[in-house]
Amino acid sequence: LLARRTILVLSLGVISLATITLWVARNQLATTSLSAYLRSKGIPSDIVVENLQLDTALIRNLSLGSKTKPNLIAKNVRIKWRIDSKSRVVIIEQILIEDVKLHAAITSDGKLDLGAISPLLKTTPGPKRSVLKSVRLSNVTVLLDTPQGQASARLMAWGGEAEGWKGRADVTPPNSIILKSAGDASSFVPIRLGFAIQQIPRQSINVGPALSIGFAFLPSGQSLTYQDYSIARLSGNIAGRILIKDNDEMRLDTRRGTLRADRFVGNNIEATGLNATTMPLFWTHGTPWQTKGWGNFGVTGTLDRLKLANPNLALGATRFRLSAARAQSGRIQVNYQGDVQDVSGS
């Protein structure tokens, strides 16, 4: 009997010691396990789990991607979760991600490339094993390589699986798009952009599921150029929604908006003192949009002066109304009305 008690005590002691050892080493074990999981997905990583508790975790200095050019760096990641007692689904109550740098690219065919972190965005078939309720990202820097050069943005975002995502970003376009007379990228004031992203289920629309992206474009005096077109001191407010369906069809709707610019140059046209009100726009297109796009738009406004290079013509103060529509058949209709104070030219 004494031997049995001794064996029991020793067994409990060994189990307790092993439990304590595992608990003390939990951070290192979690770091190793998470690194192995990411490696199995083909994602190089550098990660430190600093404090793992029964329902919370603190991760510091997370880096995903190559050591020389990582796609994602996050200084602090705080996670809080619980396990549903009935379904055994992991409920991730909150994720706070601070001081983030994301490096992505737009390919020559217009697709978004997230590099090494792309596998994390792929959905897996079967029942969901986790639910993400709330995420908040703060102090995020995005670097985006494009065919025109590198663009950047500072943003904050918040949301979850149920309500979607909202946020705001201050965007600096590639240096090649910044009008040279307005200075270089270091003196460029970023353009404010608001956004809201939500996944729409199949039963809510004709073809689904779809991704809904709401946006508000809020320039405040920036000057931009693209190829042969340039616009100086652009300001205003354009808001709307982009709906991207699974069949690659995209629909764009905008609300009534305003645009102002000191000067616009492009395609043998130079306009100064532009004040415009955009009518609600509707546009739908598939791939390629040049042959499948259809919709309509309209704009009214005034110009201080309009110059045409061919024919050589100059118009004084002008009030205009322009509307255009393209039918699904490809037929295009354009209507223009204007009121000009004086005309000169040869």
Side-chain angles (χ1 to χ4, degrees):
L1 181 61
L2 181 61
R4 289 180 179 179
R5 288 180 177 177
T6 302
I7 292 172
L8 178 61
V9 170
L10 289 174
S11 299
L12 290 174
V14 170
I15 292 172
S16 299
L17 181 61
T19 302
I20 293 172
T21 301
L22 289 173
W23 180 252
V24 171
R26 67 192 185 280
N27 294 336
Q28 182 58 45
L29 291 172
T31 297
T32 303
S33 299
L34 188 52
S35 297
Y37 169 77
L38 293 170
R39 190 164 54 250
S40 71
K41 293 282 187 179
I43 304 174
S45 66
D46 187 3
I47 184 171
V48 176
V49 178
E50 185 168 291
N51 189 2
L52 176 65
Q53 301 296 325
L54 294 177
D55 59 353
T56 61
L58 171 61
I59 299 172
R60 292 196 186 276
N61 302 321
L62 169 66
S63 177
L64 302 181
S66 67
K67 290 183 177 296
T68 57
K69 195 175 181 181
N71 291 104
L72 178 67
I73 297 174
K75 186 176 181 180
N76 295 309
V77 181
R78 302 174 190 272
I79 309 172
K80 182 178 182 181
W81 70 86
R82 64 181 174 86
I83 300 177
D84 185 80
S85 58
K86 293 182 179 180
S87 64
R88 310 307 296 172
V89 170
V90 178
I91 310 296
I92 303 175
E93 297 283 0
Q94 188 179 63
I95 299 180
L96 300 177
I97 307 176
E98 302 171 319
D99 301 325
V100 181
K101 180 177 287 187
L102 174 66
H103 196 167
I106 298 292
T107 62
S108 57
D109 56 356
K111 294 182 179 180
L112 178 64
D113 180 11
L114 293 174
I117 65 175
S118 296
L120 294 178
L121 303 180
K122 294 181 180 179
T123 57
T124 55
K128 296 182 64 174
R129 304 300 299 271
S130 63
V131 175
L132 181 58
K133 294 186 69 174
S134 174
V135 177
R136 187 174 187 88
L137 297 97
S138 62
N139 193 23
V140 180
T141 300
V142 179
L143 301 177
L144 185 65
D145 296 329
T146 77
Q148 290 76 37
Q150 188 177 82
S152 64
R154 296 291 298 272
L155 66 85
M156 62 181 300
W158 57 92
E161 289 183 355
E163 72 272 21
W165 305 85
K166 295 181 180 179
R168 63 175 181 266
D170 294 323
V171 181
T172 300
N175 195 34
S176 62
I177 296 179
I178 297 173
L179 193 61
K180 297 301 183 291
S181 61
D184 58 18
S186 62
S187 62
F188 184 85
V189 177
I191 300 172
R192 175 61 56 91
L193 180 69
F195 60 88
I197 303 173
Q198 188 172 24
Q199 191 74 31
I200 299 178
R202 182 180 300 275
Q203 60 269 24
S204 299
I205 52 178
N206 295 332
V207 181
L211 184 67
S212 173
I213 305 174
F215 66 90
F217 176 63
L218 306 168
S220 56
Q222 290 83 3
S223 298
L224 304 170
T225 182
Y226 181 70
Q227 295 181 352
D228 296 330
Y229 298 88
S230 66
I231 191 164
R233 297 191 58 80
L234 176 67
S235 61
N237 184 339
I238 299 291
R241 183 182 76 159
I242 300 172
L243 191 67
I244 304 174
K245 300 181 180 181
D246 265 7
N247 61 352
D248 289 332
E249 183 180 276
M250 188 182 82
R251 171 173 171 167
L252 169 65
D253 296 278
T254 66
R255 299 192 294 269
R256 185 184 181 96
T258 60
L259 286 175
R260 295 175 297 277
D262 287 356
R263 184 171 176 262
F264 171 79
V265 177
N267 197 23
N268 298 319
I269 296 175
E270 179 180 346
T272 56
L274 170 66
N275 283 276
T277 299
T278 60
M279 300 296 105
L281 175 147
F282 165 77
W283 180 264
T284 297
H285 79 258
T287 304
W289 70 268
Q290 295 94 332
T291 58
K292 295 186 178 180
W294 59 280
N296 59 74
F297 79 96
V299 59
T300 64
T302 60
L303 292 169
D304 291 343
R305 189 170 181 82
L306 177 65
K307 292 176 63 178
L308 305 177
N310 187 19
N312 186 12
L313 189 66
L315 308 179
T318 304
R319 184 183 296 110
F320 64 89
R321 183 182 186 92
L322 173 67
S323 64
R326 177 173 176 168
Q328 288 179 278
S329 63
R331 181 173 178 267
I332 298 175
Q333 182 177 353
V334 178
N335 295 312
Y336 175 80
Q337 293 176 326
D339 180 11
V340 182
Q341 289 191 4
D342 61 86
V343 180
S344 62
S346 58

